[in-house]
Amino acid sequence: QVQLVESGGGLVQPGGSLRLSCAASGFILDHYAIGWFRQAPGKEREGVSCISASDGRTYYTDSVKGRFAISRDNAKNTVYLQMNSLKPEDTAVYYCAAEQGVCTLMVARYLYWGQGTQVNVSS
């Protein structure tokens, strides 16, 4: 059974850091592009970052460039999102997802989704 499980969320003060993990099972993760998405209350789900399976290219939405970094460990079947210099506007439920094509931040292209992990950035 295909499964993606996010972890690592929590409460952090502005300027702090968190590292999110996305553990995959039931499929070969290194054959898929993996994306991180987030959704704040009352807002649309937003693409944050993705990493390609074949060439390792990464993409970030403008609001997180220079602050977030995506990486993968194929041996552990896990993708990470390192989040630094966190801002209150980063508060959201963060989801990881997998697609069989090219890395993209388009929500509709992703085939498999995790359940999400809550990130709260507040003083």
Side-chain angles (χ1 to χ4, degrees):
Q1 180 172 297
V2 173
Q3 188 174 27
L4 294 168
V5 179
E6 302 94 335
S7 62
L11 175 64
V12 64
Q13 293 186 348
S17 298
L18 286 173
R19 188 195 192 201
L20 305 184
S21 297
C22 173
S25 62
F27 66 99
I28 303 172
L29 183 142
D30 63 0
H31 291 179
Y32 290 78
I34 304 297
W36 283 98
F37 299 81
R38 65 187 181 188
Q39 188 165 18
K43 295 186 177 181
E44 297 291 319
R45 188 167 298 186
E46 173 191 24
V48 176
S49 182
C50 63
I51 183 166
S52 297
S54 58
D55 59 13
R57 294 182 68 182
T58 60
Y59 298 88
Y60 301 89
T61 192
D62 287 344
S63 64
V64 308
K65 287 179 180 177
R67 300 189 298 119
F68 291 10
I70 191 170
S71 62
R72 67 162 71 226
D73 186 337
N74 290 330
K76 296 181 179 179
N77 227 33
T78 300
V79 170
Y80 304 96
L81 184 68
Q82 179 67 46
M83 305 187 296
N84 299 321
S85 301
L86 283 162
K87 303 175 180 180
E89 52 263 44
D90 295 319
T91 295
V93 177
Y94 282 71
Y95 301 88
C96 67
E99 71 148 337
Q100 294 175 295
V102 177
C103 178
T104 177
L105 298 182
M106 297 178 64
V107 170
R109 294 298 304 273
Y110 283 79
L111 181 62
Y112 305 120
W113 290 84
Q115 84 292 338
T117 185
Q118 179 71 52
V119 172
N120 291 309
V121 185
S122 175
S123 298

